[in-house]
Amino acid sequence: MIQLIVFLPLLAALVAGLGNRAIGNTAAKVVTTGALFVSCALSWPIFLGFLGGEQVAQVTPVLQWIRSGDFNVAWSLRVDTLTAVMLVVITTVSALVHLYSWGYMAEDDSQPRFFAYLSLFTFAMLMLVTADNLVQMFFGWEGVGLASYLLIGFWYYKPSANAAAIKAFVVNRVGDFGFMLGIFGTFWVFGTVSIPEILAAAPGMAGSTVGFFGARVEVMTLLCLLLFIGAMGKSAQLGLHTWLPDAMEGPTPVSALIHAATMVTAGVFMVCRMSPMFETSDTALTVVTILGAATALFAATVGTTQSDIKRVIAYSTCSQLGYMFFAAGVGAYGAAMFHLFTHAFFKALLFLGAGSVIHAMHHEQDMRFYGGLRRAIPITFVAMTLGTLAITGVGLAGLFGFAGFYSKDAILEAAFANGSEVGRIAFAVGVFAALLTSFYSWRLVFLTFFGTPRWEASEHIQHAMHGLHHEPDSEHGDSAHHPVHAPEGTAGYHPHESPWSMLTPLVLLSVGAVLAGWAFEHSFLDAEHGLEFWRGSVACDARLRHGMHGVPLWVKLSATIAMLIGLGIAAWAYLVNTSVPQRFASTFRGLYAFLLNKWYWDELYNLVFIRPAFAFGRIFWKRGDEGTIDRFGPNGVAAVVAGTSRVSGRLQSGYVYTYAFVMLIGLAGLATWAIAA
């Protein structure tokens, strides 16, 4: 069964990719979408089996892969509770994204290629989460990176899409270099790349030291930090986060697939998979906690000023990943995975809902040109509202809550219950980030669906109304750098609801956004049930789990209070007194510019890395390649040959008697040499 789950997407990708236009759009879509729904249907029974206690962990051999001396890598598929959680997340979201793309990409000329990339991406992610050794995990890790590059740059003739794809590829290679060093170091220390063997031996290496750049450092701290650098790149943690918002240049279904459940969660999965190893180093866990909290704060603050609907949700993803990491850093790996699980449903819902809005508004992505859409696209409105209720954590303790209410609250309670100073700081940052999340999430809803229409100011709507040619793939990022007062009016435009191929995934994901937290809370988080559910696939601290349920009432209520404050501020600023945002931006120009420009991280990267890299490139190009290699190499040889040809050309008279005379002289010289010798 597991072989079918993993390899069906690969087979479908090969059929659609190699068949391409020879098999046509419909055949490619049927093959890829059908394969993903089969994989999804086979994944849920495995997950429910672990949930009910009937399923046991198992390893299914595929083939002998690499054997060199003591280095032995077998290609095997590991299925335990952690894998089962990832299987349902990946296959469910990917299957629904495939179905959604039937409608969203209907006008695109390269549909077989697009669906082939989607399926290839899914296969690579499945390879990653079923890995039984670090080399196989790295194989899936890099496969996901390759497929993401292809998907982000799918509209390759757009300079912005190419730039975004290259940025994602390069930034992730930086993280992957750290991951490779971590794998090399782990093999050097343990003599194996087998994950079970490494985790079994890890506690015995606690406290061991090694020389590193002239200093003595703890072996496990060094290895864990190197592995975490890889996680930082894949899961867009502060410092290696810059590629994530730019990934919006790809089609919206790509945004949902990458940001909701697959690529960006790879780092969280890896840290949880290697959690027994991380538990041996308090320093490594502290670093994970601090960077996770910093990422949550950074992305939440930036999200408050963005106007592009997809970028707001992208920064929300970055912030939620920060929550997952600082949960892992305080030892609450079950809570981290629970938030990953619930996040997949409501974040995919929000991205696909945003795509439905963009589809209705003729590819317009700037929320400042929306307004009043709840009556025009009611199903999309309800779906995105449910997603917003889930991500902001609406619920009543002891009664019912949406998905995020259970998972986010569990993370905050775990950070407080951890008892360390770093844990308490992460708790405070998490509460503040929850307030900001509530603000910018409801801001999105109010700007998009409420108020009077501001469609007339949209260039995209003007294109639609005047019948100007407009490419269906003209999605673009928000390039505005200042608040805009868009005039009110519809320009006579009538938004339309999306086709059912796009609405059906929204309905199904809405169910997950509403019920996923309530249905699975006890299995993921309960002190007794949780241990039985995870069965050693992640490190479980029973003391921390009991402590989470014993935190003070004000801790349990903190996220809810923060959500209500954020909701109130958003309602006041965007429904009651709509002049507030403009006045705030004018009053706090420096702060607004700082947040709008994403803490100037891109500018810092440009100054520290990009400009020096281009400068070195120009030096090596002009002085090294052209000035030295070409000058004395091919160009120099060519110049010598050309000069020789010109000289010889002057000796060519064209008269036969001249050539005969030269030949005679040559023969005479040769005869003289022969006689003399």
Side-chain angles (χ1 to χ4, degrees), residues 25-71:
N25 293 342
T26 302
K29 292 189 290 187
V30 168
V31 169
T32 53
T33 307
L36 260 298
F37 270 95
V38 172
S39 291
C40 179
L42 295 175
S43 297
W44 274 96
I46 296 176
F47 171 71
L48 295 175
F50 280 105
L51 200 68
E54 301 91 13
Q55 194 81 23
V56 295
Q58 57 183 344
V59 177
T60 303
V62 177
L63 53 84
Q64 183 63 44
W65 193 11
I66 303 173
R67 185 185 294 273
S68 178
D70 295 333
F71 185 68

Side-chain angles (χ1 to χ4, degrees), residues 59 63-66 71-78 127-141 179 183 192-198 269 273-274:
V59 177
L63 53 84
Q64 183 63 44
W65 193 11
I66 303 173
F71 185 68
N72 184 23
V73 179
W75 192 339
S76 303
L77 305 178
R78 167 169 288 276
M127 284 301 307
L128 192 159
V129 301
T130 56
D132 191 46
N133 59 74
L134 290 176
V135 174
Q136 184 182 333
M137 182 181 288
F138 189 75
F139 174 77
W141 196 271
F179 191 40
I183 295 174
T192 180
V193 291
S194 170
I195 293 175
E197 294 178 19
I198 293 169
F269 165 81
R273 171 64 81 199
M274 307 303 292

